Amino acid sequence: MSRTRKPIPGVDPKLLIKDAAKLLPEPSRRFFLRGAASLGALAVLTGCDIVDGDTSEHALRVISRMNDRVQAWLFNPNTLAPEYPESMITRPFPFNAYYSRDEAPDVDGDTYQLEIGGLVDNKKSWTLAELRQLPEVSQITRHVCVEGWSAIGSWQGVRLSDFLKLIGTDTRAKYVWFQCAEGYSNTIDMPTALHPQTQLTLKFDHQTLPRDYGFPIKIRIPTKLGFKNPKYVTAMWVQNNDAGGYWENQGYNWFSGL
Amino acid sequence: MTIEATANAPAVPDAATTRPVIHPLWVRVTHWINALAMLIMIGSGWQIYDAAPLFGFEFPTQIALGNWLAGALLWHFAAMWLLVINGVVYLVLGIATGRFRRKLFPIRPSEVVRDLFAALRGKLSHDDLTVYNAVQKLLYVGILLTGVVIVLSGLSIWKPVQFQSLTSFFGGYNTARYVHFGAMTAIVTFLVVHVALAILVPKSLRAMIIGR
C-alpha cells in the first residue's frame, strides 16, 4: 500500500510540513525515567538502579503493550458509553490541542475530500456534501482527556461502522488509520471502529463542526481517551499494520480505552 | 562461607533465632513488594495529577516520577499490576491463615481510647511486638480498606465505560478522581506516621526484615 501523499484539497501544504516537524519527539521527553527524589528512594529500596537507561524504558513499553492486550480483552463491543442530557453539556466545550487555537488547521470545506484507502472495495473520495447525505446519528457523551479532565459534548454524524460497510470494508482487517490536516495521525483497532457509538462526526451540538473542534471531520470515539479522537481528518485507511499515532509514538498507551 | 566457619558456628541457637516469629516470610515479602509498588504509584500519581490539578497546587517534578505525563502513566499502569497482584496475595493469605482475625480483631472502642491516650503520653508498651495495640489494629484495618478504595476508584477512572457501574458507585468520573486523590492523601499520611514510628521503635523494623 502506498503512503505517498497527493496534495490534500483544502489543506495548506506549508502547514503540513511545519507540523510534521512537531512529530519528532522532543529530546527532553526521551528521558522520562531520570532521577527524582522518589526514584532515589526506589534505588535505595531495591539496591539497584532500575530507573536509568533504555532498559527500563523498554520494559515499561513492553508492559504498556501488554496493557493494550488486556484492554482489548476488557473492551466489550456491546457496552455503550454513558449518555447525558443536554443540560449537562460543558459550555463552552474546551478547545484542546498541542498547538494554539489560531494554529489549528483551516480546511476549505468546499474543496475538501475525505480520502479512502486500504482494504476497502470502493476507494472513491468523499466530499462534505456527500457525507452530509448519509443517515445521521447523535450522541451526548463524556470526552475524557489523558490529562484527567473531562467534558461532556454533543456530536452528530455518520456511524463509522455504517460508513465502513458502505465502502465495502474488509472488517477482518486489524486497524483503521486516520491522517489529519495538521500532520496528526491515529490508528485504532477494528472492534472499536465497529462500536455503535464510534462516529464520523460532522456536527457539534447540531451545528456544523467548528474549526476549534476539528472541521470538517472528527472521529468521535467515546470508548477511548480524547487523543484517540482525531480531528481535521483528511484520510482513512483500513489496514493490517499498526501505523501508530502522534502521541502513541511518544509514549502514551496505544489502546487507551475507557 | 568456609568449612571452618560452619564448624565454628555455635551449636546453641542465639537470640536472633530463639525470639518468637513476629512476621512470617509471606508477610515480610508482601510488605516490601507493597512498599516498592506504593512508592512508584504515589510518585507517578503526583506527576499525573499535575497534568490537570484538582486543587490550587502542583507537586514539584523533582519529587514526582516519570518526568512528564506519558512517562508517569507508563510507571503507574505498570506498577498497578505489582500493587494489585501482591495485594490480592496478601489479603488471601491474611484471611486464609487467620492472621487478620488473630492480629486485627476484635477492635474495642474503649481500648482504642485507652491506647490512644497512652500513646500520646508516650506510655504505650512495645515489649511484645506479636500483639498489636488497639490504635494499631484500627489503623491497619483502616489502611487495608483505604487500599481497596484506592484500587477500585483507580479502576473507575481508568475504565469509566467498561466499569461504568463502579464509576457510578464512586459518584461518577469526576468525583472518583477526588476519591482517588483522598485515598492517596490518607495513605501518604499513614506512611509518614508508620515510618516515623518504625524509626522510634527500631526492633519493629528489624522484625519486618528478619521476622523476629
Side-chain angles (χ1 to χ4, degrees):
Chain A
M1 175 196 336
S2 166
R3 267 294 158 59
T4 319
R5 316 223 39 92
K6 293 171 296 193
I8 302 161
V11 176
D12 179 0
K14 271 183 280 181
L15 187 69
L16 254 180
I17 291 162
K18 179 170 150 271
D19 283 300
K22 288 185 183 166
L23 283 168
L24 300 169
E26 292 171 30
S28 64
R29 287 181 172 166
R30 297 299 304 157
F31 302 100
F32 53 69
L33 310 167
R34 254 190 333 211
S38 51
L39 294 191
L42 268 185
V44 170
L45 204 63
T46 57
C48 60
D49 193 1
I50 59 157
V51 293
D52 196 27
D54 293 340
T55 317
S56 47
E57 178 167 336
H58 176 72
L60 287 177
R61 283 179 188 260
V62 168
I63 297 171
S64 192
R65 294 308 296 194
M66 184 193 83
N67 285 339
D68 288 338
R69 291 191 290 277
V70 171
Q71 293 177 90
W73 174 75
L74 278 177
F75 176 81
N76 182 338
N78 302 314
T79 299
L80 297 181
E83 302 222 12
Y84 300 88
E86 274 191 33
S87 59
M88 286 183 72
I89 296 173
T90 306
R91 298 183 194 280
F93 190 84
F95 165 82
N96 191 254
Y98 56 90
Y99 41 76
S100 70
R101 213 178 198 125
D102 53 358
E103 284 180 307
D106 199 357
V107 179
D108 180 355
D110 295 335
T111 57
Y112 172 87
Q113 290 200 316
L114 175 66
E115 193 188 329
I116 305 292
L119 304 169
V120 299
D121 292 336
N122 189 349
K123 295 189 173 72
K124 143 192 151 48
S125 293
W126 288 71
T127 65
L128 272 182
E130 288 168 331
L131 288 170
R132 283 173 183 149
Q133 282 167 14
L134 298 174
E136 185 179 276
V137 289
S138 180
Q139 62 175 278
I140 299 175
T141 48
R142 185 185 295 277
H143 169 108
V144 177
C145 182
V146 68
E147 294 175 329
W149 58 267
S150 70
I152 294 172
S154 161
W155 289 276
Q156 292 75 37
V158 183
R159 183 176 281 141
L160 188 64
S161 65
D162 290 348
F163 185 70
L164 289 170
K165 275 176 208 127
L166 187 66
I167 61 174
T169 299
D170 180 358
T171 53
R172 293 166 305 176
K174 285 161 80 175
Y175 306 108
V176 181
W177 175 77
F178 298 99
Q179 172 70 45
C180 307
E182 78 277 52
Y184 195 84
S185 65
N186 224 203
T187 309
I188 62 168
D189 52 297
M190 184 59 80
T192 297
L194 297 175
H195 185 272
Q197 286 172 311
T198 300
Q199 190 189 87
L200 197 155
T201 299
L202 299 164
K203 291 179 183 170
F204 183 86
D205 199 17
H206 301 281
Q207 307 295 317
T208 301
L209 191 68
R211 179 181 166 200
D212 273 2
Y213 307 151
F215 180 83
I217 289 179
K218 173 195 175 78
I219 304 299
R220 172 65 192 142
I221 311 176
T223 57
K224 288 218 189 275
L225 286 174
F227 79 89
K228 295 291 278 190
N229 290 232
K231 298 173 288 192
Y232 317 102
V233 173
T234 55
M236 182 181 85
W237 293 72
V238 176
Q239 55 194 41
N240 275 313
N241 64 309
D242 172 13
Y246 180 83
W247 286 117
E248 297 87 328
N249 297 352
Q250 297 183 55
Y252 284 101
N253 175 261
W254 185 90
F255 194 91
S256 285
L258 291 174
Chain B
M1 189 186 286
T2 64
I3 293 165
E4 284 87 342
T6 312
N8 291 339
V12 183
D14 63 18
T17 53
T18 51
R19 283 194 301 266
V21 172
I22 298 166
H23 301 306
L25 185 63
W26 68 267
V27 170
R28 285 175 279 147
V29 170
T30 52
H31 173 273
W32 291 111
I33 290 177
N34 185 59
L36 173 68
M38 297 265 267
L39 279 180
I40 299 175
M41 293 305 274
I42 292 166
S44 57
W46 288 354
Q47 185 72 59
I48 295 167
Y49 165 95
D50 283 356
L54 293 170
F55 303 99
F57 70 92
E58 290 180 23
F59 295 97
T61 306
Q62 291 79 15
I63 61 163
L65 176 59
N67 216 31
W68 71 300
L69 179 59
L73 288 166
L74 286 178
W75 278 107
H76 211 68
F77 290 122
M80 72 174 182
W81 294 109
L82 194 62
L83 183 82
V84 168
I85 293 169
N86 183 66
V88 167
V89 168
Y90 173 76
L91 289 178
V92 167
L93 285 175
I95 293 166
T97 61
R99 181 179 166 89
F100 286 170
R101 188 170 30 80
R102 273 196 322 274
K103 293 266 189 181
L104 302 177
F105 296 99
I107 304 172
R108 297 191 179 88
S110 59
E111 291 174 10
V112 172
V113 173
R114 183 197 66 201
D115 289 349
L116 185 61
F117 280 107
L120 293 174
R121 289 197 310 269
K123 290 194 174 151
L124 213 48
S125 168
H126 300 296
D127 292 341
D128 184 1
L129 290 182
T130 61
V131 179
Y132 292 150
N133 65 61
V135 177
Q136 262 180 313
K137 288 180 184 176
L138 185 67
L139 286 179
Y140 286 150
V141 170
I143 204 66
L144 289 179
L145 292 175
T146 309
V148 172
V149 168
I150 205 159
V151 168
L152 294 182
S153 60
L155 268 181
S156 67
I157 298 169
W158 187 41
K159 291 277 165 267
V161 173
Q162 302 305 328
F163 299 152
Q164 52 191 274
S165 324
L166 187 64
T167 311
S168 302
F169 173 79
F170 282 106
Y173 176 82
N174 284 332
T175 312
R177 290 183 67 205
Y178 286 93
V179 172
H180 200 57
F181 185 92
M184 180 278 294
T185 309
I187 288 170
V188 170
T189 308
F190 173 89
L191 201 59
V192 169
V193 175
H194 183 67
V195 170
L197 292 178
I199 291 167
L200 282 175
V201 188
K203 64 180 178 180
S204 68
L205 182 59
R206 182 189 66 200
M208 194 45 89
I209 297 169
I210 63 169
R212 296 166 192 269

